[in-house]
Amino acid sequence: MIFKDITDLNFNGVNISAHHEFSHEKVYYYEDSKAGLKSLIAIHSSIKGPAIGGCRFKQYDTFDAGLSDVLRLSRGMTDKNNIAQIPFGGGKAVIFKDGIKSDALLTAFADFLNLLEGSYISAEDIGITLEDIQFIKKHSNFVFDNVDPGPYTAKGLFYSIEQAINTHLSENIQGTKIAIQGAGSVGKKLAEYLAGAGANVFISDIDKLKLETINEKNITCIDDAFTFDCDLLAPCAVGGIFTQSSIRNLNCKIIAGGANNQLLKTSIADDLHERGILFIPDTLINSGGVIGLTKDFLNRDEAKTEEALREIAYRVREAIIFSKEKSISINETLKRKDL
Ligand code: NAD
């Protein structure tokens, strides 16, 4: 077993604190070769409280690819938790996928969490399910195991999309065309909320099995949401989808979705602004999940949680009004204005 604080080390050929994504308090590495676990946990900030964020089980081509992911995502969690006004810092974990996800691997991950003594508390993310987290809970207290965050994320997105359509397009959600990329935990639930409010929803997924179970009025399954001609595109699949070349294929007026780190580079926010597309950053809009996850910890009942989800949308409205007044992107607004 190897457990190392690698923050100030040259590790696996990478000088961690000199990494271009680094602005962190701590980065830890844990390896349990018997269990097949190689994992990184990055704590970006613990100023507001223990660092929280999901754990990703994903295949990375190189150590540096996994490190970049955990550094970028944990920084995003600090921003998200700050904007959501919850007393937690930002952290994230990645497990390098190199085979199957076994009980032994999850138990070893629990051991890793225990070594950090609660300075990082984990939830699920890509490749890790709520069931996995509930299994880990048998061996570690440092997980959020009682809430599926997906529906809360979707609810926060739904309220925000309503506000964005009202404020930016001066329209009612009824009859607007909304395309969703990804019919997973967040995308599918979002589609249901939007369709229930009378929007015309179009949804795509690379996994066609995910679309087979969708059979609702106002929801149409399509091949590709990204290029679809619509009022609003909601990316709810993967990050890094907006690049200088890919944004030329967009046919929407607003982008507002749950996927983390949608912009390959932050400068793409200005490119979208120049193209007249309103981009609402994920850190502003997808905090419903952390609000749901932490509701018991913060003693929030359903009514208080609902109010916190609606507050995401009020912030979206304020940000849109400010960005219109100043003719700047919402990314720029987040730098200039406290919401
Ligand atoms: P999920 O794994 O349940 O669903 C993602 C879906 O996207 C899958 O069905 C997958 O097949 C599909 N997909 C992948 N690539 C695609 C592509 N190119 N085009 C169309 N579909 C594609 O994940 P989720 O929990 O729904 O989360 C979606 C995104 O939102 C992720 O980026 C996640 O990090 C982010 N996010 C999730 C939450 C949450 O509460 N679950 C909170 C914040 C952010």
Side-chain angles (χ1 to χ4, degrees), residues 56 80 125-126 149-150 153 181-187 204-207 210 236-239 258-260 286 289:
R56 227 165 231 204
K80 192 191 305 193
D125 198 274
I126 293 169
T153 304
Q181 185 189 51
S185 161
V186 175
S204 72
D205 200 295
I206 46 167
D207 178 355
K210 295 278 176 76
C236 295
V238 287
N260 288 315
N286 74 4

Side-chain angles (χ1 to χ4, degrees), residues 254-274:
I254 305 173
I255 297 168
N260 288 315
N261 298 328
Q262 293 163 32
L263 307 177
L264 192 67
K265 290 195 284 181
T266 41
S267 61
I268 307 286
D270 295 329
D271 299 332
L272 287 167
H273 182 68
E274 271 165 34

Side-chain angles (χ1 to χ4, degrees), residues 39-206:
S39 175
L40 285 168
I41 290 178
I43 297 179
H44 177 256
S45 170
S46 57
I47 293 171
K48 296 266 171 81
I52 62 169
C55 171
R56 227 165 231 204
F57 177 65
K58 191 175 163 195
Q59 197 169 349
Y60 293 99
D61 290 342
T62 59
F63 172 76
D64 190 55
L67 177 68
S68 298
D69 216 21
V70 81
L71 293 178
R72 198 170 48 237
L73 289 163
S74 54
R75 191 176 55 239
M77 286 308 299
T78 302
D79 294 344
K80 192 191 305 193
N81 296 338
N82 274 340
I83 295 172
Q85 296 171 11
I86 52 173
F88 293 97
K92 204 85 186 180
V94 297
I95 297 176
F96 291 83
K97 183 175 176 182
D98 184 22
I100 55 154
K101 193 172 57 182
S102 64
D103 287 357
L105 179 132
L106 294 174
T107 308
F109 183 68
D111 294 340
F112 188 11
L113 291 174
N114 289 336
L115 286 164
L116 301 187
E117 298 175 334
S119 55
Y120 165 70
I121 308 174
S122 188
E124 61 266 44
D125 198 274
I126 293 169
I128 295 286
T129 63
L130 181 58
E131 289 71 38
D132 296 330
I133 292 291
Q134 284 163 345
F135 178 85
I136 294 168
K137 175 77 178 184
K138 292 181 195 161
H139 305 277
S140 172
N141 271 327
F142 305 122
V143 285
F144 291 106
D145 67 321
N146 56 352
V147 170
D148 174 4
Y152 289 92
T153 304
K155 186 66 114 29
L157 286 173
F158 167 62
Y159 291 142
S160 302
I161 287 173
E162 268 189 321
Q163 280 293 351
I165 302 266
N166 287 337
T167 317
H168 188 61
L169 302 180
S170 306
E171 281 174 25
N172 190 293
I173 195 139
Q174 266 185 334
T176 49
K177 273 171 86 178
I178 298 180
I180 302 176
Q181 185 189 51
S185 161
V186 175
K188 187 163 180 271
K189 198 73 197 162
L190 175 63
E192 288 167 13
Y193 286 133
L194 290 166
N200 284 326
V201 182
F202 300 83
I203 189 161
S204 72
D205 200 295
I206 46 167

